[in-house]
């Protein structure tokens, strides 16, 4: 029995309980494949990552949101005495532009107006928005020579300033998405986007409550009046998205005049913060497959998701030489570091992907059938009977050579001796003799026991 060969044989067991168990398991597997994998999970679609280009621009507040580059456009800054973080009458000076005001726990500073171009350092994948600057006028120490130097730069007239009215600045986000393999290429001006307000704090609730277009989902959602929700960005005349800095902070549940983090002793406005903007692109939806425009082309959407990094203030230092190499201006700049990370998947129908999904799903059906088989053989009450029917041991095939050597008349004589009916083909008669031999051997072993 060492060198045996196990072959599959179909045995039809006429037991309703076992049949119902098998069909119930097959039905559950079929529902999982069709409903959850194909319909909900869209596993028949081929997905690819999007390629994204992003451009960000910061703009100071203007009347009627006009273009500050136009001659007739006027800025709309709030006066210093109406900004609670600026030094104002009634505050006690502390030097270098700092003061202590009775209405605020944090130290106030002198404020200054800047425009968008002067306040932001924009790169393709990130932008830095200044909120606080510590400026030093420095001269190179003339006593430093080859013999040594106790202090290379001597600072004079250090000043500290808050950038005024940063919350009302607007950040324009213009981006495009494409994938050559899927034949997709769009700009944010052509597709719809949403800002995800992900939280339940009072600021989140206020933002969702005040937004007239708040929705529970970016696609097929209903009107929302509480957080979390999805709101539409403001758009320019050409369709580009823009947000006020206040809106972005509220979407994260933050404010510039709250603690940077517990125990820091400073505000976010003073220390700055680091945040990530995830732009999640999609053109499919569960139960809906590939979304389509009225024109029939793929409908692409995206969601902005803002993620602040806790306990991660932002600071960068800049140096501008007035007289190289003797006089320079050094600035320690604190602010909002905003980096963009593209995410998401774009999909189209693909026959090969569908066939691969179905082929993989057939494995589940095989597993289900095997599970029922082993339950019948080792778990169920009548397992001994099921096992006897499912596992059939053949006779010793080494006797086949001897039986094959017999003539038909000799084979018939052997069958008469064993009381076998003379029916069937020669192969069937030999198998009948082998089974009779095996049965006799089993009976002999039983008598010995």
């Amino acid at each position: 029995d060492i060198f045996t060969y196990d072959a599959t044989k179909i045995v039809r067991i006429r037991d309703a309980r076992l049949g119902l168990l098998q069909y119930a398991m097959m039905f559950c597997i079929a529902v999982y494949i069709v409903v959850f994998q194909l319909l909900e999970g869209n596993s028949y679609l081929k997905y690819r990552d999007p390629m994204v280009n992003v451009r960000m621009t910061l703009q100071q507040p203007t009347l009627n949101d006009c273009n500050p580059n136009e001659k007739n456009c006027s800025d709309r800054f709030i006066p210093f005495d109406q900004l609670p973080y600026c030094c104002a009458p009634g505050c006690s000076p502390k030097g270098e532009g700092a003061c202590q005001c009775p209405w605020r726990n944090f130290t106030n500073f002198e404020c200054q107006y800047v425009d968008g171009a002067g306040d932001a350092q924009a790169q393709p994948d990130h932008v830095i928005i200044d909120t606080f600057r510590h400026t030093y006028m420095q001269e190179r120490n003339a006593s430093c020579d080859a013999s040594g130097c106790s202090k290379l730069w001597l600072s004079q007239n250090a000043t500290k300033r808050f950038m005024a009215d940063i919350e009302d600045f607007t950040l324009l986000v213009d981006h495009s998405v494409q994938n050559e393999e899927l034949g997709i290429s769009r700009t944010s001006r052509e597709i719809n986007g949403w800002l995800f307000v992900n939280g339940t704090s009072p600021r989140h609730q206020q933002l969702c409550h005040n937004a007239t277009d708040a929705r529970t989902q970016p696609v097929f959602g209903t009107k929302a009046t509480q957080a979390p929700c999805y709101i539409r960005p403001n758009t320019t005349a050409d369709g580009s998205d823009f947000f006020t800095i206040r809106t972005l902070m509220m979407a994260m549940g933050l404010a510039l005049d709250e603690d940077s983090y517990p125990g820091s002793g400073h505000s976010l406005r003073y220390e700055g913060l680091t945040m990530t903007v995830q732009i999640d692109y999609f053109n499919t939806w569960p139960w809906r497959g590939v979304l389509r425009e009225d024109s029939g082309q793929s409908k692409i959407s995206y969601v902005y998701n803002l993620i602040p990094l806790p306990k991660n203030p932002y600071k960068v230092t800049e140096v501008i030489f007035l007289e190289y190499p003797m006089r320079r201006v050094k600035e320690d700049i604190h602010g909002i570091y905003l980096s963009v990370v593209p995410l998401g998947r774009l999909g189209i129908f693909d026959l090969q992907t569908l066939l691969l999904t179905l082929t993989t799903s057939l494995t589940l059906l095989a597993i289900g059938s095997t599970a029922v088989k082993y339950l019948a053989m080792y778990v169920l009450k009548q397992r001994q009977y099921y096992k006897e029917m499912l596992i059939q041991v053949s006779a010793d095939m080494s006797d086949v050579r001897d039986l094959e050597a017999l003539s038909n008349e000799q084979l018939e004589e052997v069958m008469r001796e064993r009381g076998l009916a003379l029916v069937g083909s020669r192969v069937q008669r030999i198998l009948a003799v082998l089974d009779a031999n095996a049965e006799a051997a089993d009976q002999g072993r039983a008598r010995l026991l």
Side-chain angles (χ1 to χ4, degrees):
D1 290 339
I2 297 177
F3 301 103
T4 60
Y5 169 68
D6 294 334
T8 302
K9 183 176 181 180
I10 297 177
V11 178
R12 179 166 294 175
I13 302 176
R14 301 177 66 181
D15 189 320
R17 294 167 299 179
L18 200 59
L20 288 174
L21 175 62
Q22 181 184 13
Y23 287 117
M25 187 167 291
M26 291 178 64
F27 176 77
C28 293
I29 293 174
V31 169
Y32 169 76
I33 294 171
V34 175
V35 176
F36 294 101
Q37 279 199 324
L38 295 178
L39 297 181
E40 183 188 25
N42 295 329
S43 58
Y44 57 91
L45 301 177
K46 177 174 67 174
Y47 288 99
R48 292 294 182 266
D49 295 333
M51 297 181 61
V52 180
N53 294 308
V54 182
R55 175 181 66 91
M56 291 179 288
T57 305
L58 188 68
Q59 178 180 302
Q60 71 272 21
T62 58
L63 290 176
N64 301 319
D65 295 324
C66 61
N67 186 345
N69 295 323
E70 296 179 356
K71 181 178 179 180
N72 297 325
C73 182
S74 299
D75 294 331
R76 182 176 48 84
F77 289 112
I78 295 178
F80 291 162
D81 59 5
Q82 296 180 25
L83 298 174
Y85 48 85
C86 295
C87 289
C91 299
S92 303
K94 298 173 65 175
E96 295 186 352
C99 64
Q100 190 64 52
C101 302
W103 57 81
R104 193 166 178 265
N105 294 328
F106 299 116
T107 300
N108 282 26
F109 293 93
E110 297 289 343
C111 289
Q112 74 177 76
Y113 293 126
V114 292
D115 64 359
D119 190 67
Q121 298 89 50
Q123 300 294 328
D125 60 346
H126 70 268
V127 64
I128 302 169
I129 303 172
D130 303 351
T131 57
F132 175 78
R133 294 178 183 173
H134 192 175
T135 305
Y136 307 85
M137 301 295 296
Q138 295 182 327
E139 289 190 2
R140 192 179 185 89
N141 191 343
S143 64
C144 290
D145 53 26
S147 61
C149 183
S150 60
K151 189 173 182 61
L152 181 60
W153 291 96
L154 304 176
S155 297
Q156 301 174 348
N157 301 325
T159 59
K160 300 177 182 179
R161 296 286 187 272
F162 277 139
M163 306 299 103
D165 203 13
I166 286 296
E167 288 88 340
D168 289 328
F169 279 56
T170 56
L171 181 67
L172 181 142
V173 185
D174 187 18
H175 49 99
S176 61
V177 57
Q178 63 178 343
N179 187 284
E180 294 184 3
E181 182 179 353
L182 303 184
I184 293 175
S185 179
R186 305 286 181 80
T187 68
S188 58
R189 306 182 193 96
E190 303 173 279
I191 54 182
N192 293 327
W194 302 83
L195 173 63
F196 185 28
V197 183
N198 187 16
T200 57
S201 71
R203 293 190 182 96
H204 292 117
Q205 300 293 356
Q206 180 183 355
L207 189 57
C208 289
H209 180 75
N210 294 340
T212 58
D213 53 5
R215 292 290 183 269
T216 57
Q217 292 289 341
V219 178
F220 308 112
T222 58
K223 182 176 176 58
T225 57
Q226 61 182 11
C229 72
Y230 296 81
I231 63 176
R232 294 295 303 276
N234 300 313
T235 55
T236 61
D238 64 355
S240 297
D241 298 339
F242 71 91
F243 306 92
T244 64
I245 303 303
R246 178 178 287 104
T247 298
L248 297 179
M249 296 297 294
M250 290 181 66
M252 296 184 291
L254 302 176
L256 288 175
D257 286 319
E258 68 180 11
D259 280 327
S260 176
Y261 54 87
S264 70
H266 296 286
S267 66
L268 286 172
R269 189 184 305 275
Y270 177 87
E271 288 202 323
L273 72 150
T274 304
M275 58 181 285
T276 300
V277 179
Q278 296 177 343
I279 308 180
D280 191 356
Y281 299 89
F282 60 94
N283 68 334
T284 64
W285 198 256
W287 308 104
R288 304 278 182 163
V290 178
L291 304 177
R292 298 290 180 184
E293 303 277 4
D294 294 337
S295 61
Q297 66 179 147
S298 178
K299 180 180 180 180
I300 304 174
S301 302
Y302 56 91
V303 172
Y304 297 106
N305 187 21
L306 310 181
I307 303 176
L309 302 183
K311 296 184 179 181
N312 195 14
Y314 183 78
K315 171 187 171 182
V316 64
T317 299
E318 290 186 354
V319 173
I320 302 174
F321 277 92
L322 302 178
E323 293 180 8
Y324 183 82
M326 299 306 297
R327 295 179 62 238
R328 71 178 189 179
V329 177
K330 177 186 175 183
E331 280 194 323
D332 291 335
I333 300 173
H334 300 251
I336 303 171
Y337 181 88
L338 187 153
S339 61
V340 176
V341 177
L343 296 176
R345 299 185 304 167
L346 303 177
I348 60 171
F349 174 79
D350 183 65
L351 180 59
Q352 183 176 355
T353 303
L354 173 60
L355 294 177
L356 181 61
T357 300
L358 294 176
T359 302
T360 306
S361 301
L362 293 177
T363 306
L364 294 177
L365 295 175
I367 292 174
S369 179
T370 302
V372 173
K373 174 183 174 181
Y374 282 96
L375 284 173
M377 293 170 55
Y378 299 105
V379 177
L380 299 182
K381 184 178 181 180
Q382 296 176 324
R383 54 187 177 273
Q384 293 179 345
Y385 298 94
Y386 296 139
K387 187 174 183 179
E388 188 67 25
M389 288 182 284
L390 289 171
I391 299 178
Q392 178 181 351
V393 180
S394 72
D396 190 350
M397 299 301 292
S398 62
D399 296 334
V400 170
R401 291 187 296 271
D402 297 333
L403 293 174
E404 282 282 357
L406 299 177
S407 64
N408 289 336
E409 291 77 10
Q410 291 172 329
L411 181 60
E412 290 177 0
E413 183 64 26
V414 173
M415 295 180 69
R416 290 190 189 95
E417 291 176 358
R418 287 163 175 73
L420 301 175
L422 301 177
V423 295
S425 65
R426 180 176 174 84
V427 173
Q428 291 173 334
R429 291 181 177 187
I430 292 176
L431 289 175
V433 173
L434 291 174
D435 291 337
N437 292 343
E439 184 177 352
D442 291 339
Q443 291 176 355
R445 284 193 294 269
R447 283 194 297 270
L448 291 176
L449 295 174

